[in-house]
Amino acid sequence: AALGLNAATYHVAVSGSNAANGLTLSTAWATVQHAADMAIAGDSVLVHPGSYAGFAAMDNSGTANAPIVLMSTGGVVNITSPCSYNNLDGINVEDVSWVVIEGFTVNDMPRTGIRTALSDHVTIRWNNCHSNYKWGILTGFAEHVTIEHNSCSGSEDEHGIYVSNSADDPIIRYNHCFDNY
């Protein structure tokens, strides 16, 4: 069988239901957390415009040829509260590999807009992280992380983007960071 042959595209919408199958806009799931819990290697999650609770992607990894992609469909997708995993970060990607986070707006979190830790080959791109308390984007022990085309501003305590702790081969390019402490 061809790699990715069974890959699915799921939808998340504010009008959705986590009891639905998520396979179309009319049967979309309601929360990005539910989609992050369900997605496996090769799956894409299309998040439609609206406001959503934060989420943590910590259960399933993608592969080099079949990453898990969680992305906005265009328009504004606001993450309005921290993820339930730690109640500090809007989006937390931890202990997984080959995950893409794309197109989210994550503002006003108690610690970090988007965090990845203990991860490998996570891509964070085209996100807006503004007025988060400590960091817009934070990594810790994130091997081969790619952080590109993000806008990070107004971090009250520290950095717009902070690549911390030991990790090999980070790529940080084409980001716009300004007015951070």
Side-chain angles (χ1 to χ4, degrees), residues 37-155:
D37 292 342
M38 300 302 290
I40 60 171
D43 289 349
S44 295
V45 175
L46 304 178
V47 184
H48 296 271
S51 295
Y52 300 90
F55 64 93
M58 300 172 54
D59 294 330
N60 299 312
S61 289
T63 67
N65 294 323
I68 295 172
V69 178
L70 296 113
M71 66 182 292
S72 152
T73 61
V76 178
V77 174
N78 285 309
I79 301 300
T80 57
S81 62
C83 67
S84 61
Y85 166 70
N86 63 17
N87 291 311
L88 295 170
D89 308 316
I91 299 172
N92 186 62
V93 181
E94 189 167 343
D95 202 27
V96 292
S97 300
W98 298 103
V99 173
V100 176
I101 303 296
E102 182 174 321
F104 294 92
T105 296
V106 192
N107 298 340
D108 304 312
M109 293 299 131
R111 183 172 69 178
T112 310
I114 301 172
R115 174 182 180 265
T116 187
L118 305 170
S119 59
D120 196 1
H121 288 96
V122 169
T123 299
I124 300 168
R125 66 178 170 225
W126 296 110
N127 300 286
N128 294 298
C129 300
H130 305 291
S131 299
N132 296 292
Y133 177 70
K134 203 152 188 93
W135 306 289
I137 296 171
L138 169 70
T139 74
F141 303 104
E143 301 287 332
H144 310 97
V145 67
T146 299
I147 301 169
E148 60 188 1
H149 301 288
N150 300 285
S151 179
C152 299
S153 69
S155 296

